[in-house]
Amino acid sequence: MSIMIQQSAEIIRKAAPALHPKIAVMLGSGLGAVADLLDETAALSYSALPGFPVPTVKDHEGSLRTGHVAGVPVIFLKGRQHFYEGAGFDGLKIMIRTLKALGVDILILTNAAGSLMPENGPGSVVSIKDHINLLGSNPLTGANDDDWGPRFVDMGDAWDKRLRGILQDCAKKSGSRLDEGIYAAMPGPAFETPAEISMLKTIGADLVGMSTVPENLIARHCGIKCVGLSAVTNMAAGMSDEILTHAHTIANAERAQKDMATLIETFVQEATKA
Ligand code: HPA
């Protein structure tokens, strides 16, 4: 795995030699246009980067873009591999550890999610305060790679408190509402049953989705700080009469895209100030 990380990092460095980004953004379903913020220097398909996971889901592109957002060097990852695709976590590990090898120390994880908060319906953006891992799996299971991080990872600040504060300041500046919520990661690929959503409510979840938590675990293991932004695409199962489909997820994520882009544009400037 280490060889593939070195090779991928080298290819990215060669494609954008003077960039040195400290911040990266992973874009979730229906959120690809957030990368339009980028004054682009290089675009690389995941298939050109050794070990990067090529997504199998429609509307999940697989490309890495680098350039500047408001003068700040940033890497965008358009597309990720999901647990339900069944390919394990190696691709995600290679992707996130390659960011670390390039010097990235802040990762913005975005996703499309169902909401359990009646006050945050489709089209809202919610900042992830904490998470509950219900995947029944963890990407850090197995022999620990001490070169990247410790066997036992502290998760008390899984979603970085200081950076979450900066997100709140950015939202205030643009006059937009940004509630915080607890994200429950479910394995999918089926959406949840209403009974499962009742259970999630009982255990304290505010958002539900099928991604993001593995990425957070891999990032925290190697010391990358994380913030998370969920684009609410639907009320969780049983909370409205909507029929949940992937097309519905994509269409509603696109509604949240503009607010998400505004937030990310101000956040990258504030978060990288000395
Ligand atoms: N559940 C799980 N994942 C999702 C949902 C949902 O309701 N909406 C978008 N991704």
Side-chain angles (χ1 to χ4, degrees), residues 112-114 191-192 208-210 233-234 236 244 249:
F191 290 106
E192 299 69 38
V208 57
M210 305 175 194
T233 56
N234 55 278
L244 304 183
T249 298

Side-chain angles (χ1 to χ4, degrees), residues 82-84 112 135 183-192 208-212 214:
H82 294 78
F83 181 67
Y84 56 73
L135 296 175
Y183 178 95
M186 293 291 276
F191 290 106
E192 299 69 38
V208 57
M210 305 175 194
S211 65
T212 304

Side-chain angles (χ1 to χ4, degrees), residues 150-202:
R151 168 79 290 185
F152 300 105
V153 183
D154 179 82
M155 292 295 282
D157 207 18
W159 301 95
D160 194 88
K161 200 161 182 225
R162 187 183 72 84
L163 296 177
R164 284 194 282 121
I166 295 177
L167 272 178
Q168 290 299 323
D169 295 342
C170 296
K172 258 184 222 126
K173 234 181 246 172
S174 64
S176 51
R177 172 183 182 142
L178 184 66
D179 288 346
E180 290 199 318
I182 296 175
Y183 178 95
M186 293 291 276
F191 290 106
E192 299 69 38
T193 61
E196 286 165 345
I197 294 301
S198 294
M199 173 194 75
L200 295 184
K201 220 181 264 175
T202 303

Side-chain angles (χ1 to χ4, degrees), residues 11-259:
I11 293 168
I12 298 163
R13 265 191 225 107
K14 277 213 181 100
L19 208 66
H20 312 302
K22 294 240 163 289
I23 192 156
V25 188
M26 192 180 284
L27 295 174
S29 311
L31 296 167
V34 175
D36 294 347
L37 286 172
L38 202 62
D39 181 0
E40 193 166 289
T41 306
L44 296 160
S45 163
Y46 287 176
S47 56
L49 296 166
F52 269 50
V54 180
T56 59
V57 181
K58 190 173 167 288
D59 301 309
H60 290 222
E61 205 182 313
S63 77
L64 179 147
R65 313 287 177 97
T66 62
H68 292 90
V69 172
V72 178
V74 179
I75 294 180
F76 277 87
L77 293 161
K78 290 181 83 171
R80 53 152 68 88
Q81 202 161 43
H82 294 78
F83 181 67
Y84 56 73
E85 291 173 75
F89 295 113
D90 283 357
L92 265 185
K93 279 188 193 159
I94 288 172
M95 197 150 90
I96 292 170
R97 290 175 180 173
T98 298
L99 297 178
K100 176 75 181 178
L102 290 168
V104 166
D105 60 17
I106 297 175
L107 178 59
I108 306 173
L109 291 165
T110 72
N111 59 47
S115 172
L116 284 76
M117 310 157 99
E119 66 282 17
N120 282 288
S124 333
V125 177
V126 179
S127 166
I128 300 176
K129 170 170 72 178
D130 203 345
H131 72 237
I132 304 174
N133 182 7
L134 296 168
L135 296 175
S137 186
N138 184 312
L140 304 176
T141 302
N144 186 55
D145 194 337
D146 297 330
D147 290 344
W148 292 100
R151 168 79 290 185
F152 300 105
V153 183
D154 179 82
M155 292 295 282
D157 207 18
W159 301 95
D160 194 88
K161 200 161 182 225
R162 187 183 72 84
L163 296 177
R164 284 194 282 121
I166 295 177
L167 272 178
Q168 290 299 323
D169 295 342
C170 296
K172 258 184 222 126
K173 234 181 246 172
S174 64
S176 51
R177 172 183 182 142
L178 184 66
D179 288 346
E180 290 199 318
I182 296 175
Y183 178 95
M186 293 291 276
F191 290 106
E192 299 69 38
T193 61
E196 286 165 345
I197 294 301
S198 294
M199 173 194 75
L200 295 184
K201 220 181 264 175
T202 303
I203 64 174
D206 302 304
L207 299 160
V208 57
M210 305 175 194
S211 65
T212 304
V213 167
E215 291 85 329
N216 175 270
L217 285 159
I218 298 164
R220 293 306 301 134
H221 178 249
C222 67
I224 296 176
K225 299 183 202 79
C226 294
V227 288
L229 292 172
S230 288
V232 173
T233 56
N234 55 278
M235 293 314 295
M239 294 179 70
S240 86
D241 296 332
E242 291 167 298
I243 306 280
L244 304 183
T245 62
H246 185 58
H248 181 271
T249 298
I250 299 298
N252 279 322
E254 284 169 359
R255 280 173 59 190
Q257 233 166 191
K258 198 166 160 286
D259 284 347

